[in-house]
Every structure is written in structure tokens, then in C-alpha cells.
Amino acid sequence: MRANSWTLRRSTENTVLAGVMGGLGEFFGLDPTRLRWVYVLFSLISAGFPGILVYLALWIVIPRR
């Protein structure tokens, strides 16, 4: 089965930690750097810990390209 351009995958080119935000940015057509900043800000506002858990869950669930 061949993956099309509409499948959500972790980025292999635009990575900082695991490619999660790079993959989300590519999928939604957003700038991954801005997406990372927004994610970090929301994680800090929500006491930081839930953001880390969500990121780890996305790292496990979203397959690598």
C-alpha cells in the first residue's frame, strides 16, 4: 500500500527532536517553527507536563515517513 500526500507522518527532514511538529506542519501547511513555538507556549501555560505527555504520545502514534 502506497502512502499518499494526505497521510500524517513524522518529518525526516524538518526535525528538532522527533519530527512530530515538522510532520504536523507539513500536513496542515503551516510553518513548523511557528507551530513549535505555539506548542511550547501552550504547554507552559498548561503547566508543561501535559504537553510533554501529548508530544510523547504523538511520537509513538505518528509513523515515520
Side-chain angles (χ1 to χ4, degrees):
M1 189 160 77
R2 201 174 93 183
N4 60 16
S5 63
W6 291 100
T7 55
L8 178 60
R9 302 272 184 201
R10 287 187 288 139
S11 178
T12 56
E13 299 169 359
N14 194 349
T15 64
V16 171
L17 190 67
V20 172
M21 292 298 136
L24 287 171
E26 291 171 4
F27 183 76
F28 290 112
L30 301 171
D31 179 29
T33 303
R34 288 184 181 173
L35 191 61
R36 287 181 188 104
W37 278 106
V38 168
Y39 188 80
V40 167
L41 288 174
F42 279 120
S43 293
L44 291 175
I45 290 170
S46 67
F49 191 69
I52 294 170
L53 286 178
V54 170
Y55 190 88
L56 290 174
L58 290 173
W59 189 351
I60 293 168
V61 172
I62 300 173
R64 192 171 236 345
R65 181 178 315 241

